């Protein structure tokens, strides 16, 4: 187990880095306001046509790198998946790709629904998400049982339900709910950058409840925290409310992972 004095240092470093990134992210926003103000001056001096054309050119230039980066990254990941799982057959590769595609597009789709259709009901979306997930898992389990001829689905004991399954379910609900709510206040990119610090919360909780932990894992944890702070610099859509909701989601997500480890390892 890692020495306890090292853990608070990593947590403080992560939180300071995130807060500093949010504060510095206001500078690009000021720059955008200044640019809009200059466009207004140009419009008054040279006409509305020049201002609109300049603004459209700036928007098009800012959108070009993301539009190229997403399919490029998707193609690279596809090559990596084929290289790793290609020997297992086409269906395994397809299953992994479908899973990764769903994960990569889920938050983008949620954000798109919130913005394009003014759907301001993240809690309803979360509840419907869990209903569909539970129904799908139950049907898959029934189908697997009919194919394998296995017996009845195992039923946990009352102790297992209240000591482990209920906390895991609550943590999962809070995690997904807070994550969906954060998308109303910040961009998907900012959400994903802050979500990458889940490992910091997990390490703290693992050490807090006394589970085995390798102290050398503090090094990559600190690297992830600093990487999050660095990549957050320049985020125009930074939001304190969104950051707090993502941190709440990270805490719940790390609690779920810790409880699962405790349940499986005993």
């Amino acid at each position: 187990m890692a020495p306890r004095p090292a853990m608070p240092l990593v947590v403080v470093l992560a939180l300071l880095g995130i807060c500093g990134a949010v504060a510095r992210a206001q500078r690009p926003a000021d720059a955008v306001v200044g640019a809009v103000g200059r466009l207004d001056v140009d419009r008054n001096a040279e006409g509305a046509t020049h201002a609109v054309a300049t603004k459209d050119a700036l928007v098009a230039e800012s959108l070009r790198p993301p539009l190229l980066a997403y399919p490029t990254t998707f193609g690279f990941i596809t090559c990596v998946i084929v290289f790793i799982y290609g020997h297992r057959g086409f269906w395994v590769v397809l299953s992994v790709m479908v899973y990764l595609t769903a994960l990569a597009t889920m938050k983008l789709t949620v954000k798109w629904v919130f913005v394009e259709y003014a759907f301001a009901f993240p809690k309803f979306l979360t509840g419907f998400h869990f209903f569909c997930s539970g129904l799908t898992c139950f049907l898959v389990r029934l189908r697997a049982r009919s194919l394998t001829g296995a017996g009845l689905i195992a039923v946990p004991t009352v102790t297992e339900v209240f000591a482990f399954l209920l906390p895991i379910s609550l943590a999962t609900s809070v995690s997904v709910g807070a994550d969906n709510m954060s998308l109303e206040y910040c961009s998907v990119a900012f959400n994903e950058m802050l979500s990458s610090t889940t490992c910091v919360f997990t390490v703290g909780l693992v050490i807090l409840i006394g589970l085995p932990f390798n102290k050398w894992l503090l090094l990559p944890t600190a690297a992830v925290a600093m990487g999050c702070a660095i990549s957050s610099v320049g985020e125009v859509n930074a939001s304190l409310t969104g950051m707090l909701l993502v941190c709440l989601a990270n805490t719940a997500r790390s609690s779920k992972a810790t409880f699962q480890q405790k349940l499986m390892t005993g």
Side-chain angles (χ1 to χ4, degrees):
M1 183 179 297
R4 294 186 180 273
M7 186 55 214
L9 179 62
V10 175
V11 174
V12 171
L13 181 64
L15 295 179
L16 288 178
I18 295 174
C19 295
V22 173
R24 290 193 298 272
Q26 301 302 321
R27 297 176 184 174
D30 296 338
V32 171
V33 173
V36 173
R38 288 193 297 272
L39 286 175
D40 292 337
V41 173
D42 292 340
R43 181 180 58 189
N44 295 331
E46 303 177 15
T49 304
H50 173 70
V52 172
T54 305
K55 185 176 181 180
D56 291 342
L58 291 174
V59 172
E61 184 66 24
S62 63
L63 290 178
R64 187 174 300 136
L67 291 177
L68 293 177
Y70 205 85
T72 302
T73 305
F74 185 82
F76 174 75
I77 295 299
T78 302
C79 295
V80 173
I81 296 302
V82 171
F83 176 78
I84 296 175
Y85 297 102
H87 65 284
R88 298 192 177 185
F90 170 78
W91 291 110
V92 173
V93 173
L94 180 62
S95 300
V96 174
M97 289 304 304
V98 169
Y99 175 70
L100 293 179
T101 302
L103 291 179
T105 57
M106 186 177 299
K107 288 185 180 180
L108 292 173
T109 305
V110 171
K111 184 68 174 181
W112 178 68
V113 171
F114 286 168
V115 174
E116 293 296 327
Y117 296 96
F119 189 83
F121 305 98
K123 298 181 183 66
F124 172 80
L125 182 65
T126 303
F128 194 68
H129 166 92
F130 283 120
F131 172 77
C132 294
S133 299
L135 181 62
T136 302
C137 291
F138 186 74
L139 294 176
V140 169
R141 186 66 185 88
L142 288 179
R143 177 62 176 171
R145 189 181 66 173
S146 64
L147 291 177
T148 59
L152 297 176
I153 299 176
V155 179
T157 64
V158 176
T159 302
E160 291 174 338
V161 169
F162 286 97
F164 295 103
L165 298 182
L166 183 59
I168 290 175
S169 301
L170 291 176
T172 304
S173 302
V174 172
S175 172
V176 178
D179 205 46
N180 287 340
M181 291 177 63
S182 70
L183 293 175
E184 289 191 296
Y185 301 95
C186 61
S187 65
V188 177
F190 189 68
N191 177 289
E192 287 292 342
M193 286 184 288
L194 293 182
S195 297
S196 65
T197 61
T198 302
C199 60
V200 177
F201 297 84
T202 304
V203 167
L205 189 58
V206 165
I207 294 178
L208 183 64
I209 66 176
L211 291 177
F213 178 74
N214 188 341
K215 63 182 181 180
W216 290 107
L217 294 178
L218 290 175
L219 295 178
T221 301
V224 168
M226 292 304 300
C228 170
I230 294 173
S231 60
S232 299
V233 176
E235 174 59 43
V236 177
N237 296 316
S239 166
L240 179 60
T241 303
M243 184 194 74
L244 294 177
L245 287 171
V246 174
C247 289
L248 175 61
N250 288 350
T251 303
R253 194 179 300 117
S254 63
S255 302
K256 180 195 71 171
T258 305
F259 288 142
Q260 284 178 332
Q261 178 183 346
K262 184 68 174 179
L263 177 64
M264 294 179 179
T265 58

